Structure formats: C-alpha cells, structure tokens
Amino acid sequence: MIALRHIVFGMLFMLVAATSAPAADRLSPVLGDDGLYVQPWFLQSFLDLRDDLSETSKAGRRLAVLFEQRGCPWCEELHKVDFGDPAIAEYVRSNFNVIQINIYGAREVTDFDGTVLTEKALARKWGVRGTPSFVFLPADGDGVGQRSGGEAAEARMPGYQPPETFVAFFRYVRENRTNSEDFQRYLAGLRTSGRATAAE
C-alpha cells in the first residue's frame, strides 16, 4: 500500500511539473478562429509580401510562406510534432519569418508582382494544392524582381515532413544550398555526419 502511494505521488508530481514547465518547453500551438493552428512567433503581417520580404531581409532571416487549411490533420501534426520540438521551433524562429496563409481564406494579400488577391487566389496562383506546404522565397527583393512569389520561389516543401527531414530542409534553405545541391543528397550528407537531427 505504501509503495502504491509513492507511485501515485510520483505520478502526480510529474504531472504538476509538466504543466508548470516554462512555455518555451511546451510550445503548444493556439487554435485560431479560422480553425488553423498558429505559433505565437509567426510574423504578424499586413500581407504585403514585398514589405514582409524587405523586413525579413533586414533582420538577417529568410522568408517562408506556410499554406494551411482548417481540419487538415497533417497541419496539426506539423504544429504539435515538428514545431512542438523546442529545438526545431527555436531554429526556425531564429532564422526565418513565417507567414501563414489559409488556402481557402479571404484576406487580401499583395503578391510580389503588386497583384492584390485573396489568400485562396494566391494559393491557386502559386500552384499550392495540398497542405501543409511551405514556399521559400529568395533572400532579398533582388531575387524576386517583379515576379509572383510562385515564380520566384527558391524552394518548396509540400506536405508534412517528419522532424528530421523538416529541420534539414530549413537548414538546406538557410545555408543557401537550393541552387547548388539536391536536397536528398544534402540530407544523406547530414545523416552520414550524424547531424541530421541537429537544429543548429
């Protein structure tokens, strides 16, 4: 009986410790009114993507546009598993500005070519068909020019990716390897060196 009490007490202690852990260790996404999970550190944007790229470039980061939709189980997995890992979330937050777009949304977005259109129309224009999908833009405005973001995209990550592949792809973009090395070869190199799961 005493042993059972000790076990129950220990379990209660662990539960209390887990729920009182710092927010940075828990990284629980918030479910917004539009039905999308959102990370508190996502870029709060007026959705003029030209301004967002300029701001991102000045901050020394890269711009990633994330397309999601309500009720998408893989989007939830992205937020709870990939972004739920504090090391991965910190790597992405430190090196990227992420803008979230609802592929069925009605908010107005200004594309890099100056066209103003709804989120839904932007997703169609950029050729985004599934969720979650990341579109990575060039490091600065010179890489975009007067083109649409869909045309100027430096890399795309369509669909859900498990943590190892997910963080590796962000590193691949951050290290400017998209024009010089195939991602699968880059990932294989990380695995060989034992750095595949590192969010450095």
Side-chain angles (χ1 to χ4, degrees):
M1 182 63 90
I2 294 175
L4 182 59
R5 262 188 243 151
H6 282 278
I7 292 169
V8 171
F9 177 80
M11 290 173 68
L12 285 172
F13 177 81
M14 286 189 294
L15 182 61
V16 169
T19 57
S20 62
D25 293 335
R26 285 184 272 125
L27 297 176
S28 298
V30 175
L31 188 60
D33 294 337
D34 59 0
L36 303 186
Y37 285 95
V38 63
Q39 300 295 327
W41 45 269
F42 279 177
L43 185 65
Q44 297 303 307
S45 167
F46 291 111
L47 297 181
D48 185 328
L49 298 179
R50 300 165 300 182
D51 291 343
D52 293 329
L53 181 60
S54 176
E55 177 185 332
T56 298
S57 181
K58 286 176 186 170
R61 297 185 175 126
R62 298 296 301 270
L63 184 63
V65 181
L66 168 60
F67 290 86
E68 299 188 79
Q69 63 179 303
R70 177 193 292 270
C72 164
W74 293 114
C75 299
E76 183 175 355
E77 197 83 354
L78 163 71
H79 285 277
K80 293 186 175 178
V81 177
D82 294 348
F83 285 142
D85 181 321
I88 292 176
E90 182 55 34
Y91 179 81
V92 175
R93 179 171 54 190
S94 298
N95 292 285
F96 291 82
N97 276 345
V98 177
I99 296 173
Q100 187 179 48
I101 297 290
N102 181 343
I103 67 165
Y104 295 113
R107 294 183 301 168
E108 286 194 340
V109 186
T110 303
D111 199 351
F112 295 100
D113 60 8
T115 306
V116 178
L117 62 176
T118 64
E119 294 170 282
K120 181 178 180 179
L122 182 78
R124 239 187 350 256
K125 181 181 177 185
W126 286 20
V128 175
R129 292 178 178 82
T131 56
S133 286
F134 281 93
V135 177
F136 298 89
L137 281 306
D140 57 42
D142 292 340
V144 175
Q146 298 300 311
R147 296 177 293 166
S148 152
E151 297 168 334
E154 190 170 284
R156 292 174 183 251
M157 182 166 51
Y160 173 75
Q161 300 298 328
E164 178 192 62
T165 308
F166 181 78
V167 72
F169 202 95
F170 273 84
R171 289 179 60 188
Y172 172 71
V173 172
R174 180 62 185 170
E175 294 172 9
N176 299 312
R177 304 290 188 96
T178 57
N179 294 319
S180 61
E181 186 176 7
D182 175 73
F183 174 67
Q184 293 303 326
R185 182 170 296 179
Y186 174 81
L187 180 59
L190 289 180
R191 286 175 173 156
T192 301
S193 67
R195 297 172 60 225
T197 58
E200 302 164 348

